[in-house]
């Protein structure tokens, strides 16, 4: 069973005619955006998307989903994937390195829905390293601050390019493993207070609803 496809398709039903939709990033979101494109074509609904990455921008363009910007419109609903989801719907995101714009878009939305397969549900965040987008000149002081916080940071390296991953915004991505994240609200603030960190991948207290695909069906959790 392709749980990412099931949940992506299910989430597309949440979008209403006339909505401005935040388009998250990742493989689960590819299914959501694809289904949204089908709905626009078949049901003739009028929506506009606000992409969170080049990935979602290019896919939206390919599928003839009109795109706009936060400067032009407020977002009615944002849908996005996650790398980990705890019981209070706090998230770790940024597996695709797009968490800075994802956070801006998801946070701005009137309603933010996270979608994932059940493997992303965890008791406590922290098995997945926390991604940080950082200014390239700040590696040494940022690593020093992260080590003082008990983390083991690494620079994310590219697979089809030599050297580090460069984000859509032209910055480095660092993955910082913490033993366990007991207080995601505080950690999110602490990480963003390190000079050189642009944004971190903890999304605390901002998810309104989760749609989770399980082997035995769809689960919807309202916060
Ligand atoms: C990208 C993200 C993704 O939403 C997250 O990594 C989940 O991806 P996938 O749906 O491919 O498992 O935060 O920056």
């Amino acid at each position: 069973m392709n749980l990412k496809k099931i949940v992506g398709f299910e989430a597309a039903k949440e979008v209403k005619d006339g909505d401005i939709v935040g388009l998250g990033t990742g493989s689960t979101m590819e299914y959501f955006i694809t289904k949204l494109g089908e709905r626009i074509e078949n049901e003739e609904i009028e929506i506009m998307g606000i992409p969170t990455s080049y990935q979602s921008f290019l896919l939206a363009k390919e599928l003839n989903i009109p795109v706009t910007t936060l400067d032009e419109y407020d977002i009615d609903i944002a849908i996005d994937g996650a790398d980990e989801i705890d019981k209070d719907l706090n998230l770790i995101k940024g597996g695709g390195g797009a968490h800075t714009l994802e956070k801006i878009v998801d946070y701005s939305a009137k309603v933010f829905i996270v979608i994932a397969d059940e493997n992303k549900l965890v008791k406590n965040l922290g098995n997945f390293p926390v991604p940080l987008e950082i200014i390239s000149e700040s590696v040494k002081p940022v690593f020093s601050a992260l080590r003082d916080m008990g983390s083991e940071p690494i620079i994310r390296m590219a697979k089809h390019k030599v050297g580090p991953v460069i984000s859509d915004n032209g910055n480095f991505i660092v993955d910082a493993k913490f033993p366990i994240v007991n207080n995601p609200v505080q950690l999110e603030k602490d990480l963003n207070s390190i000079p050189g960190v642009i944004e971190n991948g903890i999304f605390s207290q901002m998810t309104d609803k989760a749609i989770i695909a399980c082997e035995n069906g769809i689960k919807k959790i309202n916060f």
Side-chain angles (χ1 to χ4, degrees), residues 5 10-11 15 34 77 80 87 90 105 113 123-124 154 170 173 182 198 205 210:
K5 183 174 179 179
E10 176 70 24
V15 175
T34 301
I77 181 168
D80 208 343
K87 58 183 182 339
N90 299 308
V105 166
I113 302 177
K123 189 160 172 266
N124 291 100
I154 54 165
I173 301 291
N182 287 318
I198 296 161
Q205 298 184 309

Side-chain angles (χ1 to χ4, degrees), residues 4 25-28 80-83 93-98 102 120:
K4 290 187 178 195
T25 294
S27 54
T28 315
D80 208 343
D83 300 298
K93 286 185 50 55
E102 290 177 321
K120 304 288 183 71

Side-chain angles (χ1 to χ4, degrees), residues 132-149 151 153 174 176 191 194-198:
L132 299 112
E133 180 163 0
I134 72 162
I135 297 284
S136 60
E137 289 84 353
S138 70
V139 170
K140 197 174 169 199
V142 167
F143 270 45
S144 169
L146 290 170
R147 287 193 182 113
D148 286 349
M149 293 167 75
S151 172
V174 167
L191 290 173
I194 302 170
V197 172
I198 296 161

Side-chain angles (χ1 to χ4, degrees), residues 148-165:
D148 286 349
M149 293 167 75
S151 172
E152 279 301 326
I154 54 165
I155 295 176
R156 192 181 297 178
M157 300 309 277
K159 296 246 166 65
H160 300 289
K161 157 191 176 291
V162 289
V165 166

